[in-house]
Amino acid sequence: IARWLAAAGSGCVGATEAELSDAESRLQVRFPTDYRKAMLICDGSDAEFSSSWLARWKVKDLIERNAGYEASRYAPGLTFFGSDGDGEAYAWDWRAARKALYIVTPFIAPDPDVAVPCVTNFEEFLAVLYAGVPFTQAADEQ
């Protein structure tokens, strides 16, 4: 988390509890506790993160972007929270049969069954991104 905060920069401002609660209500989810804590420190950021790019969306953008990508229609059970700045979405997998909470899935075909499971918490997800481990390799190691 310290590496991510350093990459995000000193100007990063946290979200409020009210903003988080409103987004959760509108998206009909409960954000993971570790992610919620991170959002209170730094509400979104776009940064080079070692070998990866981490575009983590602001709370106010989560609703609009999930609606724009039609996540509930094309990626049922997933909620997008950011991207690699290109074609891959970072998302939470809320399905009961999931392999990991934090996943990566292509925007072009965000079917939960083709998503690459990464890890179960935000700090480990950041470690995967920082290490630059190819997501196909990470999935093979799961």
Side-chain angles (χ1 to χ4, degrees):
I1 297 229
R3 289 183 193 145
W4 160 68
L5 288 171
S10 60
C12 200
V13 177
T16 66
E17 283 288 346
E19 290 170 324
L20 288 164
S21 294
D22 179 59
E24 288 173 326
S25 175
R26 293 174 67 189
L27 289 167
Q28 300 179 347
V29 299
R30 176 77 178 153
F31 299 139
T33 302
D34 59 344
Y35 192 83
R36 227 172 186 283
K37 288 178 183 176
M39 293 298 277
L40 290 168
I41 297 168
C42 183
D43 181 16
S45 62
D46 288 333
E48 187 172 339
F49 194 59
S50 186
S51 298
S52 300
W53 184 261
L54 176 56
R56 201 174 53 82
W57 302 336
K58 291 181 178 265
V59 170
K60 66 181 180 115
D61 297 332
L62 289 172
I63 299 148
E64 181 181 318
R65 292 192 179 188
N66 276 276
Y69 287 114
E70 296 186 71
S72 62
R73 178 178 177 191
Y74 294 112
L78 303 183
T79 303
F80 302 136
F81 65 86
S83 78
D84 67 351
D86 196 14
E88 303 295 321
Y90 302 146
W92 296 296
D93 185 346
W94 304 111
R95 299 172 304 151
R98 71 175 183 239
K99 294 180 181 157
L101 177 59
Y102 288 86
I103 64 163
V104 177
T105 188
F107 279 119
I108 197 161
D111 184 322
D113 293 328
V114 301
V116 177
C118 290
V119 292
T120 58
N121 69 57
F122 186 56
E123 190 167 353
E124 290 175 353
F125 184 69
L126 291 174
V128 168
L129 294 179
Y130 190 82
V133 177
F135 290 108
T136 53
Q137 180 182 346
D140 292 343
E141 293 173 0
Q142 295 283 329

